[in-house]
PDB file of all heavy atoms in Angstrom:
ATOM      1  N   ILE A1335     164.660 105.069  23.703  1.00 97.00           N
ATOM      2  CA  ILE A1335     163.212 105.060  23.870  1.00 97.00           C
ATOM      3  C   ILE A1335     162.989 104.368  25.200  1.00 97.00           C
ATOM      4  O   ILE A1335     163.092 103.132  25.302  1.00 97.00           O
ATOM      5  CB  ILE A1335     162.520 104.232  22.679  1.00 97.00           C
ATOM      6  CG1 ILE A1335     162.842 105.052  21.364  1.00 97.00           C
ATOM      7  CG2 ILE A1335     161.104 104.124  22.913  1.00 97.00           C
ATOM      8  CD1 ILE A1335     162.366 104.320  20.118  1.00 97.00           C
ATOM      9  N   ARG A1336     162.411 105.104  26.145  1.00 97.00           N
ATOM     10  CA  ARG A1336     162.067 104.539  27.477  1.00 97.00           C
ATOM     11  C   ARG A1336     160.596 104.111  27.393  1.00 97.00           C
ATOM     12  O   ARG A1336     159.666 104.910  27.019  1.00 97.00           O
ATOM     13  CB  ARG A1336     162.236 105.599  28.538  1.00 97.00           C
ATOM     14  CG  ARG A1336     163.726 106.042  28.718  1.00 97.00           C
ATOM     15  CD  ARG A1336     164.226 105.467  29.964  1.00 97.00           C
ATOM     16  NE  ARG A1336     165.717 105.562  29.910  1.00 97.00           N
ATOM     17  CZ  ARG A1336     166.482 104.615  30.313  1.00 97.00           C
ATOM     18  NH1 ARG A1336     166.013 103.482  30.815  1.00 97.00           N
ATOM     19  NH2 ARG A1336     167.810 104.767  30.273  1.00 97.00           N
ATOM     20  N   LEU A1337     160.315 102.881  27.818  1.00 97.00           N
ATOM     21  CA  LEU A1337     158.957 102.337  27.731  1.00 97.00           C
ATOM     22  C   LEU A1337     158.058 103.161  28.609  1.00 97.00           C
ATOM     23  O   LEU A1337     156.835 103.334  28.225  1.00 97.00           O
ATOM     24  CB  LEU A1337     158.974 100.906  28.057  1.00 97.00           C
ATOM     25  CG  LEU A1337     159.759 100.029  27.104  1.00 97.00           C
ATOM     26  CD1 LEU A1337     159.459  98.487  27.409  1.00 97.00           C
ATOM     27  CD2 LEU A1337     159.502 100.297  25.633  1.00 97.00           C
ATOM     28  N   GLY A1338     158.509 103.620  29.725  1.00 96.00           N
ATOM     29  CA  GLY A1338     157.573 104.319  30.608  1.00 96.00           C
ATOM     30  C   GLY A1338     157.065 105.621  29.928  1.00 96.00           C
ATOM     31  O   GLY A1338     155.916 105.903  30.049  1.00 96.00           O
ATOM     32  N   ALA A1339     157.926 106.323  29.239  1.00 96.00           N
ATOM     33  CA  ALA A1339     157.552 107.500  28.578  1.00 96.00           C
ATOM     34  C   ALA A1339     156.568 107.169  27.402  1.00 96.00           C
ATOM     35  O   ALA A1339     155.571 107.950  27.265  1.00 96.00           O
ATOM     36  CB  ALA A1339     158.762 108.217  27.995  1.00 96.00           C
ATOM     37  N   VAL A1340     156.719 106.095  26.748  1.00 97.00           N
ATOM     38  CA  VAL A1340     155.855 105.690  25.662  1.00 97.00           C
ATOM     39  C   VAL A1340     154.401 105.379  26.290  1.00 97.00           C
ATOM     40  O   VAL A1340     153.451 105.886  25.833  1.00 97.00           O
ATOM     41  CB  VAL A1340     156.389 104.495  24.907  1.00 97.00           C
ATOM     42  CG1 VAL A1340     155.375 103.960  23.956  1.00 97.00           C
ATOM     43  CG2 VAL A1340     157.706 104.785  24.181  1.00 97.00           C
ATOM     44  N   VAL A1341     154.433 104.601  27.322  1.00 95.00           N
ATOM     45  CA  VAL A1341     153.154 104.198  27.963  1.00 95.00           C
ATOM     46  C   VAL A1341     152.458 105.446  28.525  1.00 95.00           C
ATOM     47  O   VAL A1341     151.216 105.601  28.340  1.00 95.00           O
ATOM     48  CB  VAL A1341     153.384 103.103  29.042  1.00 95.00           C
ATOM     49  CG1 VAL A1341     152.094 102.922  29.843  1.00 95.00           C
ATOM     50  CG2 VAL A1341     153.848 101.793  28.370  1.00 95.00           C
ATOM     51  N   ARG A1342     153.225 106.295  29.202  1.00 94.00           N
ATOM     52  CA  ARG A1342     152.606 107.521  29.695  1.00 94.00           C
ATOM     53  C   ARG A1342     151.933 108.323  28.597  1.00 94.00           C
ATOM     54  O   ARG A1342     150.781 108.825  28.753  1.00 94.00           O
ATOM     55  CB  ARG A1342     153.596 108.395  30.436  1.00 94.00           C
ATOM     56  CG  ARG A1342     153.783 108.191  31.845  1.00 94.00           C
ATOM     57  CD  ARG A1342     154.763 109.276  32.506  1.00 94.00           C
ATOM     58  NE  ARG A1342     155.248 108.743  33.694  1.00 94.00           N
ATOM     59  CZ  ARG A1342     156.288 107.945  33.827  1.00 94.00           C
ATOM     60  NH1 ARG A1342     156.970 107.562  32.812  1.00 94.00           N
ATOM     61  NH2 ARG A1342     156.606 107.471  35.043  1.00 94.00           N
ATOM     62  N   ARG A1343     152.639 108.511  27.512  1.00 94.00           N
ATOM     63  CA  ARG A1343     152.063 109.327  26.458  1.00 94.00           C
ATOM     64  C   ARG A1343     150.856 108.603  25.832  1.00 94.00           C
ATOM     65  O   ARG A1343     149.804 109.286  25.611  1.00 94.00           O
ATOM     66  CB  ARG A1343     153.094 109.560  25.329  1.00 94.00           C
ATOM     67  CG  ARG A1343     152.536 110.401  24.224  1.00 94.00           C
ATOM     68  CD  ARG A1343     153.602 110.717  23.157  1.00 94.00           C
ATOM     69  NE  ARG A1343     153.009 111.538  22.152  1.00 94.00           N
ATOM     70  CZ  ARG A1343     153.232 112.791  21.982  1.00 94.00           C
ATOM     71  NH1 ARG A1343     153.971 113.486  22.797  1.00 94.00           N
ATOM     72  NH2 ARG A1343     152.624 113.384  20.943  1.00 94.00           N
ATOM     73  N   LEU A1344     150.887 107.402  25.548  1.00 94.00           N
ATOM     74  CA  LEU A1344     149.797 106.668  24.924  1.00 94.00           C
ATOM     75  C   LEU A1344     148.625 106.436  25.817  1.00 94.00           C
ATOM     76  O   LEU A1344     147.482 106.224  25.331  1.00 94.00           O
ATOM     77  CB  LEU A1344     150.271 105.353  24.275  1.00 94.00           C
ATOM     78  CG  LEU A1344     151.348 105.607  23.202  1.00 94.00           C
ATOM     79  CD1 LEU A1344     151.900 104.172  22.706  1.00 94.00           C
ATOM     80  CD2 LEU A1344     150.788 106.432  22.014  1.00 94.00           C
ATOM     81  N   GLU A1345     148.855 106.358  27.092  1.00 88.00           N
ATOM     82  CA  GLU A1345     147.808 106.143  28.048  1.00 88.00           C
ATOM     83  C   GLU A1345     147.253 107.425  28.678  1.00 88.00           C
ATOM     84  O   GLU A1345     146.443 107.418  29.586  1.00 88.00           O
ATOM     85  CB  GLU A1345     148.276 105.189  29.151  1.00 88.00           C
ATOM     86  CG  GLU A1345     148.664 103.781  28.655  1.00 88.00           C
ATOM     87  CD  GLU A1345     147.466 102.896  28.496  1.00 88.00           C
ATOM     88  OE1 GLU A1345     146.523 102.908  29.340  1.00 88.00           O
ATOM     89  OE2 GLU A1345     147.467 102.125  27.546  1.00 88.00           O
ATOM     90  N   ALA A1346     147.783 108.551  28.297  1.00 86.00           N
ATOM     91  CA  ALA A1346     147.389 109.801  28.866  1.00 86.00           C
ATOM     92  C   ALA A1346     145.899 109.986  28.750  1.00 86.00           C
ATOM     93  O   ALA A1346     145.200 109.708  27.780  1.00 86.00           O
ATOM     94  CB  ALA A1346     148.052 111.020  28.057  1.00 86.00           C
ATOM     95  N   GLY A1347     145.305 110.422  29.886  1.00 76.00           N
ATOM     96  CA  GLY A1347     143.880 110.597  29.969  1.00 76.00           C
ATOM     97  C   GLY A1347     143.103 109.346  30.270  1.00 76.00           C
ATOM     98  O   GLY A1347     141.926 109.405  30.484  1.00 76.00           O
ATOM     99  N   GLN A1348     143.804 108.252  30.443  1.00 77.00           N
ATOM    100  CA  GLN A1348     143.077 106.968  30.743  1.00 77.00           C
ATOM    101  C   GLN A1348     143.197 106.766  32.275  1.00 77.00           C
ATOM    102  O   GLN A1348     144.234 106.677  32.870  1.00 77.00           O
ATOM    103  CB  GLN A1348     143.763 105.797  30.085  1.00 77.00           C
ATOM    104  CG  GLN A1348     143.605 105.810  28.611  1.00 77.00           C
ATOM    105  CD  GLN A1348     142.173 105.880  28.123  1.00 77.00           C
ATOM    106  OE1 GLN A1348     141.379 105.066  28.576  1.00 77.00           O
ATOM    107  NE2 GLN A1348     141.893 106.792  27.210  1.00 77.00           N
ATOM    108  N   ALA A1349     142.046 106.828  32.979  1.00 74.00           N
ATOM    109  CA  ALA A1349     142.006 106.678  34.386  1.00 74.00           C
ATOM    110  C   ALA A1349     142.091 105.246  34.816  1.00 74.00           C
ATOM    111  O   ALA A1349     141.379 104.402  34.225  1.00 74.00           O
ATOM    112  CB  ALA A1349     140.629 107.277  34.945  1.00 74.00           C
ATOM    113  N   LEU A1350     142.997 104.979  35.716  1.00 69.00           N
ATOM    114  CA  LEU A1350     143.129 103.608  36.275  1.00 69.00           C
ATOM    115  C   LEU A1350     141.816 103.146  37.005  1.00 69.00           C
ATOM    116  O   LEU A1350     141.389 102.011  36.758  1.00 69.00           O
ATOM    117  CB  LEU A1350     144.259 103.563  37.279  1.00 69.00           C
ATOM    118  CG  LEU A1350     144.559 102.222  37.993  1.00 69.00           C
ATOM    119  CD1 LEU A1350     144.973 101.195  36.862  1.00 69.00           C
ATOM    120  CD2 LEU A1350     145.734 102.435  38.929  1.00 69.00           C
ATOM    121  N   VAL A1351     141.256 104.068  37.677  1.00 70.00           N
ATOM    122  CA  VAL A1351     139.957 103.808  38.324  1.00 70.00           C
ATOM    123  C   VAL A1351     139.162 105.101  38.232  1.00 70.00           C
ATOM    124  O   VAL A1351     139.649 106.133  37.919  1.00 70.00           O
ATOM    125  CB  VAL A1351     140.133 103.386  39.846  1.00 70.00           C
ATOM    126  CG1 VAL A1351     140.712 101.950  39.931  1.00 70.00           C
ATOM    127  CG2 VAL A1351     140.940 104.391  40.600  1.00 70.00           C
ATOM    128  N   GLU A1352     137.868 105.007  38.493  1.00 64.00           N
ATOM    129  CA  GLU A1352     136.896 106.158  38.387  1.00 64.00           C
ATOM    130  C   GLU A1352     137.404 107.387  39.014  1.00 64.00           C
ATOM    131  O   GLU A1352     137.332 108.485  38.460  1.00 64.00           O
ATOM    132  CB  GLU A1352     135.633 105.708  38.998  1.00 64.00           C
ATOM    133  CG  GLU A1352     134.490 106.667  38.918  1.00 64.00           C
ATOM    134  CD  GLU A1352     133.911 106.845  37.564  1.00 64.00           C
ATOM    135  OE1 GLU A1352     134.062 105.937  36.743  1.00 64.00           O
ATOM    136  OE2 GLU A1352     133.141 107.855  37.298  1.00 64.00           O
ATOM    137  N   CYS A1353     137.912 107.354  40.225  1.00 69.00           N
ATOM    138  CA  CYS A1353     138.314 108.544  40.958  1.00 69.00           C
ATOM    139  C   CYS A1353     139.579 109.254  40.394  1.00 69.00           C
ATOM    140  O   CYS A1353     139.935 110.320  40.833  1.00 69.00           O
ATOM    141  CB  CYS A1353     138.434 108.248  42.460  1.00 69.00           C
ATOM    142  SG  CYS A1353     139.770 107.103  42.823  1.00 69.00           S
ATOM    143  N   PHE A1354     140.287 108.548  39.463  1.00 73.00           N
ATOM    144  CA  PHE A1354     141.429 109.115  38.792  1.00 73.00           C
ATOM    145  C   PHE A1354     141.083 109.968  37.615  1.00 73.00           C
ATOM    146  O   PHE A1354     141.922 110.614  36.990  1.00 73.00           O
ATOM    147  CB  PHE A1354     142.414 108.055  38.406  1.00 73.00           C
ATOM    148  CG  PHE A1354     143.211 107.461  39.493  1.00 73.00           C
ATOM    149  CD1 PHE A1354     142.836 107.531  40.844  1.00 73.00           C
ATOM    150  CD2 PHE A1354     144.397 106.834  39.203  1.00 73.00           C
ATOM    151  CE1 PHE A1354     143.622 107.042  41.827  1.00 73.00           C
ATOM    152  CE2 PHE A1354     145.181 106.285  40.261  1.00 73.00           C
ATOM    153  CZ  PHE A1354     144.805 106.412  41.548  1.00 73.00           C
ATOM    154  N   ARG A1355     139.769 109.955  37.239  1.00 72.00           N
ATOM    155  CA  ARG A1355     139.361 110.773  36.064  1.00 72.00           C
ATOM    156  C   ARG A1355     139.549 112.237  36.376  1.00 72.00           C
ATOM    157  O   ARG A1355     139.533 112.705  37.440  1.00 72.00           O
ATOM    158  CB  ARG A1355     137.867 110.505  35.746  1.00 72.00           C
ATOM    159  CG  ARG A1355     137.628 109.166  35.159  1.00 72.00           C
ATOM    160  CD  ARG A1355     136.189 108.876  34.804  1.00 72.00           C
ATOM    161  NE  ARG A1355     135.381 110.079  34.644  1.00 72.00           N
ATOM    162  CZ  ARG A1355     134.108 110.063  34.551  1.00 72.00           C
ATOM    163  NH1 ARG A1355     133.437 108.937  34.571  1.00 72.00           N
ATOM    164  NH2 ARG A1355     133.393 111.207  34.363  1.00 72.00           N
ATOM    165  N   ALA A1356     139.852 112.967  35.330  1.00 70.00           N
ATOM    166  CA  ALA A1356     140.175 114.382  35.451  1.00 70.00           C
ATOM    167  C   ALA A1356     138.895 115.168  36.135  1.00 70.00           C
ATOM    168  O   ALA A1356     139.195 116.051  36.897  1.00 70.00           O
ATOM    169  CB  ALA A1356     140.363 115.026  34.110  1.00 70.00           C
ATOM    170  N   ASP A1357     137.747 114.698  35.942  1.00 72.00           N
ATOM    171  CA  ASP A1357     136.540 115.340  36.570  1.00 72.00           C
ATOM    172  C   ASP A1357     136.263 114.738  37.936  1.00 72.00           C
ATOM    173  O   ASP A1357     135.216 115.109  38.500  1.00 72.00           O
ATOM    174  CB  ASP A1357     135.375 115.275  35.616  1.00 72.00           C
ATOM    175  CG  ASP A1357     134.847 113.851  35.394  1.00 72.00           C
ATOM    176  OD1 ASP A1357     135.397 112.852  35.938  1.00 72.00           O
ATOM    177  OD2 ASP A1357     133.927 113.745  34.584  1.00 72.00           O
ATOM    178  N   GLY A1358     137.103 113.873  38.400  1.00 66.00           N
ATOM    179  CA  GLY A1358     136.803 113.256  39.697  1.00 66.00           C
ATOM    180  C   GLY A1358     135.974 111.966  39.690  1.00 66.00           C
ATOM    181  O   GLY A1358     135.847 111.269  40.691  1.00 66.00           O
ATOM    182  N   GLY A1359     135.371 111.733  38.556  1.00 72.00           N
ATOM    183  CA  GLY A1359     134.490 110.616  38.421  1.00 72.00           C
ATOM    184  C   GLY A1359     133.286 110.601  39.325  1.00 72.00           C
ATOM    185  O   GLY A1359     132.939 111.689  39.816  1.00 72.00           O
ATOM    186  N   ALA A1360     132.766 109.481  39.532  1.00 74.00           N
ATOM    187  CA  ALA A1360     131.577 109.387  40.341  1.00 74.00           C
ATOM    188  C   ALA A1360     131.811 108.379  41.466  1.00 74.00           C
ATOM    189  O   ALA A1360     131.035 107.442  41.728  1.00 74.00           O
ATOM    190  CB  ALA A1360     130.350 108.919  39.464  1.00 74.00           C
ATOM    191  N   CYS A1361     132.869 108.573  42.201  1.00 73.00           N
ATOM    192  CA  CYS A1361     133.202 107.594  43.262  1.00 73.00           C
ATOM    193  C   CYS A1361     132.256 107.802  44.465  1.00 73.00           C
ATOM    194  O   CYS A1361     132.138 108.908  44.989  1.00 73.00           O
ATOM    195  CB  CYS A1361     134.664 107.829  43.713  1.00 73.00           C
ATOM    196  SG  CYS A1361     135.135 106.725  45.017  1.00 73.00           S
TER     197      CYS A1361
END
């Protein structure tokens, strides 16, 4: 069990900042 893979899966879709959102956000 690699922690990076776990975090990637559980954090999928979570943007670090607004511009990382799938829709581009409102930067």
